[in-house]
Amino acid sequence: MAHTAAPTAGDAILRRQRIRESAARTYARSFPIVPVRAHGMTVEGADGRRYLDCLSGAGTLALGHNHPTVLTAIRRTLDSGAPLHLLDLATAEKDDFTTALFESLPPGFGDRSRVHFCGPAGTDAVEAALKLMQTATGRRGALAFTGAYHGMTAGALAVTGSVEVKSPLPSGGEVTRLPYPYAYRCPFGEGARGAELSATYVERLLDDPSGGVLPPAAMILEAVQGEGGVVPAPDGWLREMRRITAERGIPLIVDEVQTGVGRTGAMWAVEHSGIVPDAMVLSKAIGGSLPLAVVVYREEYDGWLPGAHTGTFRGNTLAMAAGAATLRYVAEHGLVGRAELLGARMTGRLDALKGRLPVIGDVRGRGLMIGIELVDPSGEPDRCGAHPADPELARRVRAACLQRGLIVELGGRHDAVLRLLPPLTISDEQVEAVLDRLAEAIAAAAGGAAAG
């Protein structure tokens, strides 16, 4: 007679979560585990199983879980008796964080910039950046891109590309949607040449008196689209966007919420192209695992009156202490260069795996921000040679990864892209373990033999 396992405390917690929380739960559906301990890249569930975490709080955990440097900064702040909440009053912790942040910013940007502390999420910073540029220019519209993700509040949703999350809501403002370069599924059907066509299209549309586009308050873009499927923008295309906006007096906002703090193999993703934006939106890793979001912008746009944009939780003392410690640790321990090195190693091996598993349509990314697009190789390819996306396979792979002790999440069109966002502190041994488990999971979910 078969015996069923007795319910655990973790099972009870998951059951109560299903009953009590909203239907909008996401990660809890994908990963039915109850983490009880975590260190570095390792998460331990209530059932005693251990997992390698390649989600890292959607890129928040630059140093992984509970890094000693972060814990020391938090404990030191708690033990000091510093006030934990002071709205936007000055504190030593805030001053230290701001100093560390400005020291990390790209040359030519941080030396003549201002910082605004927002609500604690990236979407709050996007809202603030859009409002700032509307105030500075007196205009209302915005330029945004296909595949973009900027957050879940009204203004951020308006510039987000995903139809699924936008469809139930009214418009958040006039937004002109522009084609983002995506060689594998080029919107022009021209592959790598799509970036050149995209730049030409943007410039001609803005200059066309019958193009229907009023002078906008800003252009907002990601140097690497994260939720959009880990799609890096070519450096030349980014330089063209900077030229086009600068020549027309359009402020350029770069969303570095997920790409910042070394993730792409540069401290900030804009540094790969050398562009200097008018504003950068920062969150996730800058808080050292705690909630924090800011907008940094060129000082000539600082036209706000006192109280023009506020928020109760814009002064998180613990997050500032943890964030300053994280920024300095990343810089002082060479984690930016290591992210570039390990990212190249991982994408190289994944490219080799692609040659053995035809369900892998594309491997792309920058640094430790990597995407693997899964496809149906029996489907009819498009003009660029890309086969149809296979979201069902992607879900099976995600589940197969979890069974093998690996946490990865999906994104991109149709949620068919496996996204790898390991902490920058990932070891060489962990890199190999991640790649081995991922290869096994893809092969198993695709019905093939295990890939070596």
Side-chain angles (χ1 to χ4, degrees), residues 78-146:
L78 288 172
D79 292 343
S80 74
L84 300 183
H85 185 274
L86 278 174
L87 299 170
D88 67 352
L89 295 182
T91 65
E93 292 77 15
K94 184 178 188 179
D95 181 62
D96 187 54
F97 169 80
T98 305
T99 298
L101 175 63
F102 274 68
E103 287 173 349
S104 78
L105 293 172
F109 180 64
D111 54 349
R112 297 191 63 187
S113 292
R114 299 290 180 93
V115 62
H116 181 80
F117 290 84
C118 312
T123 190
D124 302 311
V126 169
E127 296 280 353
L130 292 172
K131 183 176 174 182
L132 171 73
M133 295 312 180
Q134 289 170 347
T135 301
T137 63
R139 308 171 198 152
R140 287 293 173 264
L143 305 174
F145 289 87
T146 54

Side-chain angles (χ1 to χ4, degrees), residues 36-63:
V36 293
R37 275 172 291 277
H39 178 75
M41 194 177 176
T42 303
V43 173
E44 183 180 336
D47 59 0
R49 292 196 64 197
R50 293 188 173 187
Y51 304 85
L52 291 177
D53 183 4
C54 265
L55 179 56
S56 300
T60 298
L61 304 172
L63 304 184

Side-chain angles (χ1 to χ4, degrees), residues 353 357 359 393 396-401 403-404 436-451:
L353 185 64
L357 292 174
V359 295
L393 171 62
R396 295 200 305 270
V397 171
R398 179 177 60 190
C401 283
Q403 291 169 359
R404 288 161 174 79
D436 287 343
R437 295 178 195 186
L438 183 61
E440 291 176 6
I442 296 174

Side-chain angles (χ1 to χ4, degrees), residues 130-373:
L130 292 172
K131 183 176 174 182
L132 171 73
M133 295 312 180
Q134 289 170 347
T135 301
T137 63
R139 308 171 198 152
R140 287 293 173 264
L143 305 174
F145 289 87
T146 54
Y149 178 81
H150 298 291
M152 287 289 186
T153 50
L157 265 182
V159 292
T160 288
S162 172
V163 173
E164 183 178 1
V165 297
K166 289 159 62 79
S167 57
L169 302 172
S171 171
E174 182 174 335
V175 174
T176 299
R177 190 73 50 188
L178 302 170
Y180 193 87
Y182 178 11
Y184 187 65
R185 298 192 187 278
C186 177
F188 302 102
E190 295 289 340
R193 186 169 175 265
E196 178 186 340
L197 295 173
S198 169
T200 300
Y201 175 84
V202 170
E203 186 162 28
R204 291 188 177 178
L205 178 66
L206 295 178
D207 290 344
D208 185 350
S210 295
V213 181
L214 295 172
M219 172 187 283
I220 184 168
L221 58 79
E222 300 156 273
V224 182
Q225 290 190 336
E227 304 298 326
V230 194
V231 184
D235 291 338
W237 179 84
L238 286 170
R239 288 190 284 268
E240 280 294 277
M241 292 305 103
R242 175 68 284 191
R243 178 188 65 80
I244 290 167
T245 52
E247 289 178 355
R248 290 155 183 81
I250 301 170
L252 177 62
I253 303 168
V254 177
D255 183 337
E256 291 257 16
V257 168
Q258 193 167 99
T259 55
V261 194
R263 170 62 54 190
T264 68
M267 182 60 83
W268 308 103
V270 293
E271 294 180 88
H272 294 290
S273 63
I275 68 169
V276 178
D278 296 301
M280 286 169 55
V281 177
L282 314 176
S283 187
K284 291 193 186 296
I286 66 161
S289 76
L290 298 179
L292 186 62
V294 301
V295 181
V296 184
Y297 54 92
R298 291 170 56 185
E299 60 187 7
E300 56 262 41
Y301 292 102
D302 195 31
W304 274 340
L305 297 175
H309 195 86
T310 64
T312 302
F313 294 102
R314 56 198 154 132
N316 189 324
T317 305
L318 290 181
M320 291 172 186
T326 297
L327 286 165
R328 291 192 174 111
Y329 189 95
V330 169
E332 293 168 4
H333 288 78
L335 296 190
V336 173
R338 183 162 171 79
E340 183 178 32
L341 176 69
L342 293 183
R345 183 186 304 172
M346 293 177 77
T347 52
R349 184 164 161 192
L350 290 167
D351 271 325
L353 185 64
K354 173 186 169 185
R356 300 195 297 273
L357 292 174
V359 295
I360 299 178
D362 194 33
V363 174
R364 55 182 180 260
R366 204 148 203 181
L368 288 174
M369 189 172 182
I370 299 170
I372 304 107
E373 185 157 351

